[in-house]
Structures are given as structure tokens and as C-alpha cells.
Amino acid sequence: MIKLVEVYDRSGVQTSFALREIYINPENVALIRPDDSTKVLLESRTGFPEGLDPRQEFTRITLSDSRSTICVVGDANTVFTKVFAAHGRKLLKD
């Protein structure tokens, strides 16, 4: 299990976002991609949650059930490295 910081919608209608620590099983990760839409949403609608720098990037993780997605703090490369290096998998060469 690895620890990440999730950006979640605490209002249910995209008017108030917060941060919380989550733990995910790397074996259940199917897709990791940059999530620019969360940054745009926070900048234009709600503002950034307390303690989050506006320069921060976000990544969307899709779990292997293909229905569950999670938005986490950090750029896609950093999240990828954290998820798969922690799981003991070798990273692909660039």
C-alpha cells in the first residue's frame, strides 16, 4: 500500500474541495494520467484547498475496476514513480 494525497469534493456538487490522505494498492492501478481539469476547476470555481499551492499539478488514477477514479496531488511522473517503484516494479526507460 502507498500513501497519496487525494483532492476530493466534500460538497458533492463541486463547490468545496478538501485534501485527505489515502492508501492505494498498486496492484489495482490501471491508468495514471495528468489531470488538468481539476486545476482549472479549482482556479475558476472554488479556489484551492487550504495548504495547497496554486502551482501544484494533479494526477487522475483509474483503478482496475475501470469505474473508480481518484484525483491526487502531484504530477503524473511523480505519482507513477511512487506507485510502481514502491511496488517493486522496474520502470520503463525513456
Side-chain angles (χ1 to χ4, degrees), residues 11-59:
S11 68
V13 292
Q14 297 186 336
T15 59
S16 179
F17 289 84
L19 303 174
R20 64 182 169 200
E21 291 181 348
I22 61 168
Y23 294 87
I24 65 167
N25 181 345
E27 291 182 12
N28 293 330
V29 174
L31 176 72
I32 296 174
R33 65 178 169 85
D35 184 3
D36 298 328
S37 62
T38 295
K39 187 169 190 168
V40 171
L41 177 66
L42 293 175
E43 288 173 339
S44 63
R45 271 190 157 171
T46 65
F48 287 82
E50 185 176 332
L52 190 61
D53 189 304
R55 297 172 292 182
Q56 188 63 58
E57 293 182 42
F58 303 96
T59 297

